[in-house]
Amino acid sequence: MNFLSRCILGCLGTFCILTTSFAQQNTGRKRESFNDDWKFQLGNAADVTKDANYGLAVIFSKSGKAENTAIATKFNDSAWRNVQLPHDWAVELPFVNKDNENLKDHGYRPVGGLFPQNSIGWYRKKFTVAAADSGKRFSITFDGIFRDAKVWVNGFYLGGNESGYVGFTRDITDYVSFKTPNVIVVRADATQAEGWFYEGAGIYRNVWLSTYDNLSIADDVFVHAVVTGSTANITVEATVQSQGLKPTTCSFYAEVTNSNGKFVGKTHPQQFTIAQSGSQFMKQQLTLSNVDLWSIEQPYLYHIKPIVTVEGKQVDSRDIRFGVRTVEIKADGVFLNGKFIKIKGTNNHQDHAGLGSALPDYLQYYRISLLKQMGSNAYRTSHHAPTPELLDACDSLGMLVLDEQRLLNSSPEYLDQFERLLKRDRNHPSVFLWSIGNEEGYAQTNSFGKRIAQTLLAKQVQLDPTRTSTYAADLANVYTGVNEVIPVRGFNYRQFAVAGYHKDHPTQPIIGTEMGSTLTTRGIYVKDTVTGYLPDEDITAPWWASKAEEWWPLAAKNNYWLGGFVWTGFDYRGEPTPFKWPNINSHFGLMDVCGFPKNLYYYYESWWKDEDVLHVSPHWNWKGKEGQKVNVWVNSNADDVELFLNGKSLGKKAMARNSHLEWDVTYQPGTLKAVATRNGKKISSQVKTTGEPYKIKLSPSKNVLLADGRDAVVVNVSVLDKNGLEVPDAANLIEFSCEGASIIGVGNGDPSSHEADKMDGNWKRNLFSGYCQVIIRAGNTPQKVIIKAASKNLLGAELRY
């Protein structure tokens, strides 16, 4: 089965579990998607006359005063563009070849201080609220805006949020109109970056409108468990808050249902009186027998429903998914439910081909599925708070998460960001470890770093005593600053220093927070410094990093390594090491920006999965190289491998653990076949010389598309010869059209492609090393969806939903 077929099966198997952490209730609380019907317009950071008059009008002198600006409810936004969230305006901009280090690291998109005309984004949305909801409370939740956001409702300023990654919620009750349309306005300022990688710009994550009672359960519910044998003692902590005008006598309890919705337990109701505008902290427990544990192999999820009632009537509740599991992190390993596991992780940024940072929820499941298929069991959110849906995907699919704070800083701003991160993510069973920061050169080794770390660690223990923390340090055997106080020592590279550090600190757990960093370009086998390509094998690494076979054998055989996280699972925009322009994205990924695997993917798959793996590279289309030597690599976890060219044996070799095999083969067209023995069983794999491209092949990631306006499908594109073989070096231009749904992005994994990711119709993309990708988003109404692909001199293809 080829990679594309495996992607289809893997994603089909996971699609049905898409949910949100806080589901809409039938009890008076509603949580509705607020992603549709926004208007968008670029502002200007340097010219106030082109920034919706924001810098000229006096808008803070009187409450609600917003005349003559885009903040005003009567502002005419008819000329603004219609957008659906999530939205990233940076990915829509053209590439700019400018000799600027910051621009290079952000993928040559013209956003930032040098480009004030592209660095401010204005969003407006009109919405109505039913008069029947008068007396309710209303709040808006933004899961992520990049960056430095300011928000108004009906001209009233709600406040700002500096972080580009941690979401925020604002109560809008006092500003809602029930008789006329309401207007919410957002100004996002992406002038200043937070990272040294592509970050996007705009409201690039989901937005939610919540409606609830004046007596309600706050957002910071905390669910955790103590497991003894097959019994789990569940603790639920919640804050009941009243924004009513008089004291209220109410009752609080929580119900638990299993994954099938069956009732399995309930806490004892507790009655109390809550003061006017007061709050009451609640902590209750219940016991579950014959509990199903959450694990990587069986990610079982329960639901807990905290409920508050008045005179027997339910007035508010939450629906929170949680998993019951134990995690112990010791000097000799990570133990999940008492079982030793080696961390086989990847680091990843959040962008994807064609989409920038604005990913539909389904893409989170798609990307995690690809990593799971490779054998990865852990994901580090480098270097920032993830979108909530990524954690939902990891909960559902069984992927551990190292959840990371953006900066090592204990100022009120960053301590608040860390607190929001902890409260938001602590109910996810996938999160097994926190990270308080990454490679802070200014504070890593001195007393500043130590004191900041102590403050952050104290906050983590206060809000989540069930887990511990690490810090990603790019140091060798150093025990100063942050490392004096961090519970789990993180190593970014410096893999050969780990043994010495362990000898000096034998009781401290050690994890490779960043390892590897082999530089490869999918399907390319010769270094090209002009175009910016590197050979697609484990042979090139930057000076500060290592190749796969230099770090993984150390981690695999030594239990004082908890394991590690490869830099990276996917290529990402920016940091085009070791080249600059024309490169616009990194080469670090085991997969490219589309999720197409490179050959290094199969090295890790060989040693991270207990399944038969046998992969031969390169492809076998080398016209003009007849009689010349071609270096052939075989990645496998077999005991031995024999290689054949057109039926003739080229020799059998034993496979060393955590390694690979090589042959220098004199090229002849035909069939290159590997036959291996693993545990007494024969397995085989081959590559063949193909004919010329003949027809297009479309491989969708799933066969069902929900008409909810949010669902998506990834369609991978290749071309076949007349014998039905995929042509691995095809470079045809493919043109796309879609009826009944929307194309939202295209890509091909070429790190030097300057083709547009977004197009106003006329969608197209060249194949790169045989593949490209088109991403489709569903419409809001059930109808036929037809996706077509065409190319000059090729038979076309289409999909129907």
Side-chain angles (χ1 to χ4, degrees):
M1 185 181 294
N2 66 26
F3 176 81
L4 294 180
S5 299
R6 292 163 58 200
C7 292
I8 297 166
L9 291 176
C11 291
L12 276 172
T14 64
F15 175 72
C16 62
I17 56 178
L18 283 167
T19 63
T20 57
S21 294
F22 295 91
Q24 180 173 325
Q25 303 299 312
N26 297 319
T27 61
R29 174 177 287 271
K30 294 186 293 184
R31 188 171 190 261
E32 305 166 275
S33 173
F34 216 54
N35 287 349
D36 294 340
D37 302 322
W38 287 81
K39 292 277 194 173
F40 171 76
Q41 179 70 43
L42 284 174
N44 195 299
D47 186 342
V48 292
T49 65
K50 297 178 181 179
D51 194 29
N53 228 25
Y54 177 73
L56 292 177
V58 179
I59 60 175
F60 294 110
S61 62
K62 297 289 184 180
S63 182
K65 182 179 180 181
E67 294 89 347
N68 304 315
T69 72
I71 302 162
T73 56
K74 295 182 179 180
F75 177 82
N76 183 0
D77 60 14
S78 60
W80 289 23
R81 182 158 60 95
N82 296 316
V83 297
Q84 180 177 345
L85 306 183
H87 176 243
D88 175 1
W89 85 69
V91 76
E92 302 170 351
L93 300 172
F95 297 102
V96 174
N97 179 11
K98 192 173 182 66
D99 188 18
N100 176 275
E101 194 69 19
N102 184 61
L103 196 64
K104 171 181 78 75
D105 286 343
H106 287 79
Y108 291 99
R109 296 291 190 181
V111 174
L114 294 175
F115 304 95
Q117 72 278 13
N118 296 333
S119 299
I120 302 293
W122 286 90
Y123 294 86
R124 285 173 51 91
K125 176 181 170 71
K126 295 179 181 178
F127 65 102
T128 58
V129 178
D133 286 333
S134 177
K136 294 283 189 179
R137 300 206 70 83
F138 306 90
S139 66
I140 291 286
T141 298
F142 293 90
D143 284 340
I145 301 176
F146 199 89
R147 180 193 179 270
D148 198 6
K150 292 178 171 57
V151 186
W152 294 263
V153 169
N154 293 333
F156 291 93
Y157 182 56
L158 294 183
N161 186 59
E162 293 184 26
S163 172
Y165 298 103
V166 180
F168 61 103
T169 299
R170 295 287 183 266
D171 189 313
I172 64 171
T173 305
D174 293 346
Y175 317 116
V176 169
S177 172
F178 299 97
K179 296 181 179 180
T180 58
N182 298 274
V183 178
I184 184 168
V185 180
V186 177
R187 182 181 189 266
D189 185 346
T191 302
Q192 181 60 263
E194 289 191 54
W196 50 99
F197 40 84
Y198 180 86
E199 296 178 285
I203 310 177
Y204 72 99
R205 293 180 181 173
N206 292 323
V207 183
W208 308 93
L209 173 66
S210 294
T211 306
Y212 49 95
D213 198 85
N214 283 298
L215 183 68
S216 63
I217 300 169
D219 289 342
D220 58 353
V221 178
F222 184 25
V223 183
H224 50 98
V226 175
V227 181
T228 305
S230 62
T231 300
N233 188 36
I234 310 297
T235 298
V236 56
E237 302 176 24
T239 301
V240 179
Q241 57 192 10
S242 173
Q243 290 156 306
L245 299 178
K246 60 182 181 179
T248 304
T249 299
C250 55
S251 183
F252 177 88
Y253 63 96
E255 294 179 345
V256 177
T257 56
N258 65 15
S259 62
N260 295 319
K262 180 182 177 181
F263 173 84
V264 294
K266 176 181 175 180
T267 65
H268 295 291
Q270 183 177 346
Q271 191 174 71
F272 57 94
T273 298
I274 190 167
Q276 172 188 341
S277 300
S279 64
Q280 178 71 45
F281 175 75
M282 307 301 300
K283 185 174 182 178
Q284 295 187 346
Q285 294 181 327
L286 74 154
T287 299
L288 297 181
S289 301
N290 301 315
V291 69
D292 289 294
L293 298 180
W294 185 95
S295 67
I296 293 167
E297 299 79 16
Q298 296 291 331
Y300 193 92
L301 293 169
Y302 290 90
H303 285 250
I304 191 164
K305 188 176 180 181
I307 298 169
V308 61
T309 65
V310 175
E311 297 180 350
K313 180 182 178 182
Q314 184 172 320
V315 295
D316 194 25
S317 69
R318 299 281 190 166
D319 187 358
I320 301 168
R321 297 194 313 171
F322 73 100
V324 178
R325 88 290 183 272
T326 64
V327 174
E328 294 180 278
I329 299 178
K330 303 179 180 180
D332 61 346
V334 174
F335 295 83
L336 180 62
N337 302 324
K339 176 185 175 183
F340 171 84
I341 60 169
K342 182 74 74 172
I343 296 300
K344 303 168 182 176
T346 63
N347 289 275
N348 293 285
H349 292 312
Q350 61 181 350
D351 60 290
H352 189 89
L355 304 175
S357 294
L359 275 61
D361 296 349
Y362 170 72
L363 263 291
Q364 308 295 344
Y365 290 78
Y366 179 75
R367 286 162 62 91
I368 295 300
S369 293
L370 298 182
L371 294 169
K372 283 277 291 188
Q373 290 168 31
M374 184 182 67
S376 177
N377 61 17
Y379 185 109
R380 177 175 170 228
T381 66
S382 46
H383 305 286
H384 51 72
T387 187
E389 287 74 25
L390 181 135
L391 297 182
D392 288 342
C394 291
D395 289 344
S396 297
L397 301 179
M399 177 74 73
L400 294 172
V401 175
L402 173 53
D403 205 341
E404 187 158 278
Q405 164 80 335
R406 173 69 282 276
L407 280 178
L408 185 80
N409 193 319
S410 56
S411 70
E413 169 62 32
Y414 287 101
L415 200 59
D416 175 63
Q417 290 184 23
F418 190 42
E419 180 170 335
R420 281 184 279 156
L421 173 68
L422 292 165
K423 287 182 176 180
R424 190 198 69 172
D425 295 352
R426 61 188 177 178
N427 291 327
H428 289 277
S430 56
V431 177
F432 81 108
L433 184 63
W434 302 103
S435 171
I436 63 170
N438 174 77
E439 294 185 3
E440 299 287 350
Y442 299 108
Q444 191 171 180
T445 60
N446 53 37
S447 64
F448 299 119
K450 178 180 178 180
R451 283 176 277 161
I452 293 169
Q454 287 173 320
T455 299
L456 294 175
L457 291 171
K459 178 62 67 175
Q460 179 255 293
V461 172
Q462 173 196 351
L463 296 178
D464 181 18
T466 70
R467 298 179 179 88
T468 189
S469 290
T470 188
Y471 172 82
D474 56 337
L475 301 170
N477 191 353
V478 175
Y479 192 71
T480 57
V482 177
N483 292 326
E484 291 183 61
V485 295
I486 199 72
V488 178
R489 171 62 151 94
F491 270 85
N492 281 10
Y493 316 107
R494 319 297 186 262
Q495 67 278 357
F496 297 120
V498 172
Y501 186 89
H502 169 67
K503 182 179 179 181
D504 294 339
H505 310 281
T507 62
Q508 186 180 23
I510 299 171
I511 191 166
T513 37
E514 285 179 31
M515 288 290 150
S517 294
T518 302
L519 301 165
T520 60
T521 307
R522 178 180 59 80
I524 301 297
Y525 294 94
V526 177
K527 184 176 181 179
D528 183 343
T529 59
V530 175
T531 308
Y533 295 154
L534 291 156
D536 191 11
E537 302 291 6
D538 189 23
I539 59 177
T540 307
W543 66 266
W544 37 263
S546 70
K547 295 177 285 187
E549 292 187 41
E550 292 174 334
W551 85 271
W552 176 246
L554 297 173
K557 70 181 181 181
N558 294 303
N559 284 345
Y560 59 79
W561 283 73
L562 303 182
F565 295 84
V566 179
W567 191 266
T568 52
F570 298 88
D571 279 346
Y572 55 93
R573 298 162 190 271
E575 286 197 302
T577 311
F579 306 116
K580 296 184 180 181
W581 185 271
N583 271 184
I584 47 86
N585 69 246
S586 77
H587 294 269
F588 297 113
L590 309 180
M591 292 175 274
D592 66 21
V593 291
C594 294
F596 297 127
K598 305 179 189 181
N599 288 319
L600 198 55
Y601 176 104
Y602 300 101
Y603 169 78
Y604 286 103
E605 184 183 41
S606 297
W607 306 113
W608 284 5
K609 290 178 71 173
D610 188 20
E611 299 177 11
D612 296 340
V613 177
L614 181 61
H615 177 73
V616 181
S617 62
H619 59 74
W620 211 237
N621 282 12
W622 298 105
K623 186 176 181 179
K625 286 193 173 184
E626 291 80 1
Q628 299 180 33
K629 295 289 185 181
V630 175
N631 187 229
V632 174
W633 286 46
V634 173
N635 287 114
S636 180
N637 52 9
D639 302 314
D640 55 59
V641 180
E642 187 172 7
L643 192 66
F644 296 84
L645 178 59
N646 296 330
K648 180 181 179 181
S649 175
L650 303 179
K652 179 186 289 188
K653 298 183 180 183
M655 177 65 73
R657 299 301 86 182
N658 301 305
S659 186
H660 74 283
L661 296 174
E662 292 184 44
W663 283 262
D664 284 329
V665 179
T666 301
Y667 177 66
Q668 296 175 4
T671 301
L672 186 67
K673 183 176 183 179
V675 178
T677 304
R678 183 172 185 260
N679 299 327
K681 183 177 72 173
K682 291 287 186 181
I683 54 178
S684 64
S685 180
Q686 63 187 23
V687 290
K688 288 186 176 183
T689 306
T690 73
E692 294 300 312
Y694 174 67
K695 66 178 180 179
I696 300 170
K697 176 183 177 183
L698 299 180
S699 301
S701 59
K702 57 193 179 78
N703 294 327
V704 176
L705 194 61
L706 301 181
D708 61 1
R710 298 175 60 192
D711 194 16
V713 60
V714 177
V715 181
N716 291 324
V717 184
S718 57
V719 295
L720 308 178
D721 68 7
K722 288 187 176 180
N723 294 318
L725 297 175
E726 285 189 338
V727 182
D729 53 352
N732 306 71
L733 177 65
I734 312 295
E735 298 181 342
F736 302 102
S737 63
C738 183
E739 301 174 20
S742 301
I743 299 175
I744 58 173
V746 289
N748 62 11
D750 181 354
S752 295
S753 174
H754 301 154
E755 297 172 271
D757 294 277
K758 304 285 188 179
M759 302 174 189
D760 185 13
N762 193 29
W763 291 89
K764 56 188 176 181
R765 196 71 163 192
N766 283 284
L767 297 170
F768 175 68
S769 295
Y771 294 110
C772 70
Q773 185 176 88
V774 59
I775 301 170
I776 309 296
R777 183 172 60 205
N780 285 301
T781 57
Q783 58 183 307
K784 290 183 179 180
V785 174
I786 304 174
I787 304 161
K788 295 182 179 180
S791 183
K792 185 178 181 180
N793 299 324
L794 295 181
L795 293 180
E798 68 176 45
L799 296 172
R800 291 177 177 263
Y801 285 86

mmCIF file of all heavy atoms in Angstrom, residues 400-422:
data_model
loop_
_atom_site.group_PDB
_atom_site.id
_atom_site.type_symbol
_atom_site.label_atom_id
_atom_site.label_comp_id
_atom_site.label_asym_id
_atom_site.label_seq_id
_atom_site.Cartn_x
_atom_site.Cartn_y
_atom_site.Cartn_z
ATOM 1 N N LEU A 400 0.823 11.972 22.574
ATOM 2 C CA LEU A 400 1.242 12.767 23.725
ATOM 3 C C LEU A 400 1.689 14.153 23.266
ATOM 4 O O LEU A 400 2.166 14.320 22.142
ATOM 5 C CB LEU A 400 2.385 12.070 24.460
ATOM 6 C CG LEU A 400 2.038 10.742 25.137
ATOM 7 C CD1 LEU A 400 3.303 10.069 25.656
ATOM 8 C CD2 LEU A 400 1.042 10.942 26.271
ATOM 9 N N VAL A 401 1.565 15.135 24.163
ATOM 10 C CA VAL A 401 1.883 16.513 23.805
ATOM 11 C C VAL A 401 2.778 17.136 24.868
ATOM 12 O O VAL A 401 2.505 17.042 26.072
ATOM 13 C CB VAL A 401 0.607 17.371 23.657
ATOM 14 C CG1 VAL A 401 0.963 18.831 23.410
ATOM 15 C CG2 VAL A 401 -0.260 16.837 22.522
ATOM 16 N N LEU A 402 3.864 17.752 24.410
ATOM 17 C CA LEU A 402 4.682 18.645 25.227
ATOM 18 C C LEU A 402 4.211 20.054 24.903
ATOM 19 O O LEU A 402 4.455 20.579 23.828
ATOM 20 C CB LEU A 402 6.160 18.467 24.901
ATOM 21 C CG LEU A 402 7.149 19.445 25.543
ATOM 22 C CD1 LEU A 402 6.991 19.507 27.058
ATOM 23 C CD2 LEU A 402 8.584 19.069 25.185
ATOM 24 N N ASP A 403 3.494 20.664 25.846
ATOM 25 C CA ASP A 403 2.795 21.940 25.630
ATOM 26 C C ASP A 403 3.698 23.073 26.109
ATOM 27 O O ASP A 403 4.116 23.085 27.269
ATOM 28 C CB ASP A 403 1.491 21.909 26.425
ATOM 29 C CG ASP A 403 0.429 22.836 25.860
ATOM 30 O OD1 ASP A 403 0.791 23.757 25.106
ATOM 31 O OD2 ASP A 403 -0.756 22.648 26.187
ATOM 32 N N GLU A 404 3.964 24.043 25.222
ATOM 33 C CA GLU A 404 5.033 25.008 25.480
ATOM 34 C C GLU A 404 4.549 26.453 25.573
ATOM 35 O O GLU A 404 3.731 26.909 24.773
ATOM 36 C CB GLU A 404 6.082 24.903 24.369
ATOM 37 C CG GLU A 404 7.326 25.727 24.602
ATOM 38 C CD GLU A 404 8.512 25.219 23.817
ATOM 39 O OE1 GLU A 404 9.151 24.260 24.281
ATOM 40 O OE2 GLU A 404 8.770 25.746 22.720
ATOM 41 N N GLN A 405 5.113 27.157 26.566
ATOM 42 C CA GLN A 405 4.939 28.598 26.729
ATOM 43 C C GLN A 405 5.818 29.322 25.713
ATOM 44 O O GLN A 405 6.920 28.881 25.406
ATOM 45 C CB GLN A 405 5.336 28.989 28.160
ATOM 46 C CG GLN A 405 5.572 30.463 28.412
ATOM 47 C CD GLN A 405 4.296 31.252 28.606
ATOM 48 O OE1 GLN A 405 3.252 30.854 28.130
ATOM 49 N NE2 GLN A 405 4.386 32.366 29.307
ATOM 50 N N ARG A 406 5.333 30.454 25.184
ATOM 51 C CA ARG A 406 6.079 31.178 24.156
ATOM 52 C C ARG A 406 7.402 31.741 24.688
ATOM 53 O O ARG A 406 8.453 31.582 24.079
ATOM 54 C CB ARG A 406 5.190 32.307 23.594
ATOM 55 C CG ARG A 406 5.834 33.295 22.606
ATOM 56 C CD ARG A 406 6.181 32.673 21.273
ATOM 57 N NE ARG A 406 7.390 31.896 21.339
ATOM 58 C CZ ARG A 406 8.622 32.399 21.214
ATOM 59 N NH1 ARG A 406 8.810 33.669 20.989
ATOM 60 N NH2 ARG A 406 9.665 31.612 21.276
ATOM 61 N N LEU A 407 7.384 32.413 25.844
ATOM 62 C CA LEU A 407 8.600 33.072 26.329
ATOM 63 C C LEU A 407 8.874 32.751 27.788
ATOM 64 O O LEU A 407 7.950 32.610 28.588
ATOM 65 C CB LEU A 407 8.481 34.595 26.183
ATOM 66 C CG LEU A 407 8.731 35.208 24.811
ATOM 67 C CD1 LEU A 407 8.511 36.708 24.867
ATOM 68 C CD2 LEU A 407 10.150 34.921 24.342
ATOM 69 N N LEU A 408 10.148 32.676 28.114
ATOM 70 C CA LEU A 408 10.581 32.564 29.507
ATOM 71 C C LEU A 408 10.564 33.969 30.100
ATOM 72 O O LEU A 408 11.542 34.705 30.041
ATOM 73 C CB LEU A 408 11.990 31.966 29.573
ATOM 74 C CG LEU A 408 12.506 31.698 30.984
ATOM 75 C CD1 LEU A 408 11.922 30.398 31.525
ATOM 76 C CD2 LEU A 408 14.032 31.633 31.003
ATOM 77 N N ASN A 409 9.412 34.318 30.662
ATOM 78 C CA ASN A 409 9.245 35.663 31.200
ATOM 79 C C ASN A 409 8.165 35.607 32.269
ATOM 80 O O ASN A 409 7.119 34.993 32.061
ATOM 81 C CB ASN A 409 8.839 36.634 30.083
ATOM 82 C CG ASN A 409 8.937 38.091 30.483
ATOM 83 O OD1 ASN A 409 8.573 38.463 31.591
ATOM 84 N ND2 ASN A 409 9.419 38.916 29.570
ATOM 85 N N SER A 410 8.412 36.237 33.405
ATOM 86 C CA SER A 410 7.461 36.186 34.519
ATOM 87 C C SER A 410 6.809 37.535 34.780
ATOM 88 O O SER A 410 6.261 37.764 35.856
ATOM 89 C CB SER A 410 8.162 35.695 35.787
ATOM 90 O OG SER A 410 9.280 36.518 36.086
ATOM 91 N N SER A 411 6.867 38.451 33.817
ATOM 92 C CA SER A 411 6.162 39.716 33.958
ATOM 93 C C SER A 411 4.660 39.447 34.019
ATOM 94 O O SER A 411 4.198 38.357 33.637
ATOM 95 C CB SER A 411 6.467 40.629 32.771
ATOM 96 O OG SER A 411 5.849 40.127 31.606
ATOM 97 N N PRO A 412 3.859 40.405 34.497
ATOM 98 C CA PRO A 412 2.412 40.170 34.557
ATOM 99 C C PRO A 412 1.812 39.729 33.220
ATOM 100 O O PRO A 412 0.928 38.866 33.194
ATOM 101 C CB PRO A 412 1.869 41.532 35.004
ATOM 102 C CG PRO A 412 2.968 42.123 35.818
ATOM 103 C CD PRO A 412 4.236 41.698 35.131
ATOM 104 N N GLU A 413 2.289 40.296 32.115
ATOM 105 C CA GLU A 413 1.748 39.921 30.807
ATOM 106 C C GLU A 413 2.009 38.449 30.510
ATOM 107 O O GLU A 413 1.087 37.698 30.149
ATOM 108 C CB GLU A 413 2.355 40.796 29.711
ATOM 109 C CG GLU A 413 2.064 40.326 28.290
ATOM 110 C CD GLU A 413 0.586 40.313 27.935
ATOM 111 O OE1 GLU A 413 -0.156 41.172 28.459
ATOM 112 O OE2 GLU A 413 0.172 39.439 27.138
ATOM 113 N N TYR A 414 3.241 38.002 30.667
ATOM 114 C CA TYR A 414 3.570 36.629 30.297
ATOM 115 C C TYR A 414 3.132 35.625 31.349
ATOM 116 O O TYR A 414 2.830 34.465 31.024
ATOM 117 C CB TYR A 414 5.061 36.508 29.986
ATOM 118 C CG TYR A 414 5.389 37.147 28.666
ATOM 119 C CD1 TYR A 414 5.952 38.421 28.607
ATOM 120 C CD2 TYR A 414 5.085 36.515 27.472
ATOM 121 C CE1 TYR A 414 6.217 39.031 27.391
ATOM 122 C CE2 TYR A 414 5.357 37.107 26.247
ATOM 123 C CZ TYR A 414 5.923 38.369 26.216
ATOM 124 O OH TYR A 414 6.173 38.966 25.006
ATOM 125 N N LEU A 415 3.072 36.029 32.598
ATOM 126 C CA LEU A 415 2.539 35.146 33.616
ATOM 127 C C LEU A 415 1.051 34.907 33.374
ATOM 128 O O LEU A 415 0.535 33.802 33.558
ATOM 129 C CB LEU A 415 2.774 35.738 35.010
ATOM 130 C CG LEU A 415 2.703 34.749 36.184
ATOM 131 C CD1 LEU A 415 3.728 33.640 36.028
ATOM 132 C CD2 LEU A 415 2.903 35.480 37.502
ATOM 133 N N ASP A 416 0.357 35.954 32.923
ATOM 134 C CA ASP A 416 -1.052 35.807 32.571
ATOM 135 C C ASP A 416 -1.218 34.887 31.368
ATOM 136 O O ASP A 416 -2.122 34.042 31.329
ATOM 137 C CB ASP A 416 -1.660 37.181 32.279
ATOM 138 C CG ASP A 416 -3.097 37.088 31.799
ATOM 139 O OD1 ASP A 416 -3.951 36.620 32.570
ATOM 140 O OD2 ASP A 416 -3.359 37.457 30.639
ATOM 141 N N GLN A 417 -0.344 35.021 30.363
ATOM 142 C CA GLN A 417 -0.406 34.127 29.211
ATOM 143 C C GLN A 417 -0.192 32.679 29.640
ATOM 144 O O GLN A 417 -0.892 31.763 29.186
ATOM 145 C CB GLN A 417 0.641 34.528 28.172
ATOM 146 C CG GLN A 417 0.347 35.827 27.450
ATOM 147 C CD GLN A 417 1.362 36.130 26.354
ATOM 148 O OE1 GLN A 417 2.021 35.225 25.839
ATOM 149 N NE2 GLN A 417 1.496 37.396 25.995
ATOM 150 N N PHE A 418 0.772 32.454 30.520
ATOM 151 C CA PHE A 418 1.068 31.105 30.988
ATOM 152 C C PHE A 418 -0.114 30.553 31.776
ATOM 153 O O PHE A 418 -0.483 29.381 31.629
ATOM 154 C CB PHE A 418 2.334 31.128 31.836
ATOM 155 C CG PHE A 418 2.880 29.765 32.170
ATOM 156 C CD1 PHE A 418 2.929 28.755 31.229
ATOM 157 C CD2 PHE A 418 3.360 29.500 33.449
ATOM 158 C CE1 PHE A 418 3.440 27.504 31.534
ATOM 159 C CE2 PHE A 418 3.884 28.265 33.769
ATOM 160 C CZ PHE A 418 3.915 27.256 32.810
ATOM 161 N N GLU A 419 -0.730 31.381 32.589
ATOM 162 C CA GLU A 419 -1.882 30.937 33.373
ATOM 163 C C GLU A 419 -3.042 30.561 32.459
ATOM 164 O O GLU A 419 -3.707 29.541 32.672
ATOM 165 C CB GLU A 419 -2.302 32.036 34.348
ATOM 166 C CG GLU A 419 -3.493 31.652 35.211
ATOM 167 C CD GLU A 419 -3.758 32.650 36.328
ATOM 168 O OE1 GLU A 419 -2.807 33.352 36.731
ATOM 169 O OE2 GLU A 419 -4.910 32.709 36.797
ATOM 170 N N ARG A 420 -3.288 31.360 31.424
ATOM 171 C CA ARG A 420 -4.351 31.029 30.475
ATOM 172 C C ARG A 420 -4.060 29.726 29.737
ATOM 173 O O ARG A 420 -4.956 28.911 29.479
ATOM 174 C CB ARG A 420 -4.543 32.174 29.483
ATOM 175 C CG ARG A 420 -5.344 33.343 30.031
ATOM 176 C CD ARG A 420 -5.569 34.401 28.969
ATOM 177 N NE ARG A 420 -4.428 35.273 28.794
ATOM 178 C CZ ARG A 420 -4.170 35.948 27.692
ATOM 179 N NH1 ARG A 420 -4.945 35.822 26.630
ATOM 180 N NH2 ARG A 420 -3.119 36.745 27.613
ATOM 181 N N LEU A 421 -2.791 29.512 29.391
ATOM 182 C CA LEU A 421 -2.390 28.272 28.728
ATOM 183 C C LEU A 421 -2.640 27.074 29.629
ATOM 184 O O LEU A 421 -3.223 26.062 29.205
ATOM 185 C CB LEU A 421 -0.908 28.350 28.344
ATOM 186 C CG LEU A 421 -0.274 27.076 27.782
ATOM 187 C CD1 LEU A 421 -0.851 26.742 26.418
ATOM 188 C CD2 LEU A 421 1.237 27.221 27.702
ATOM 189 N N LEU A 422 -2.218 27.170 30.879
ATOM 190 C CA LEU A 422 -2.384 26.060 31.808
ATOM 191 C C LEU A 422 -3.857 25.735 32.036
ATOM 192 O O LEU A 422 -4.261 24.565 31.984
ATOM 193 C CB LEU A 422 -1.717 26.398 33.144
ATOM 194 C CG LEU A 422 -0.187 26.490 33.150
ATOM 195 C CD1 LEU A 422 0.297 27.175 34.419
ATOM 196 C CD2 LEU A 422 0.445 25.111 33.020
#
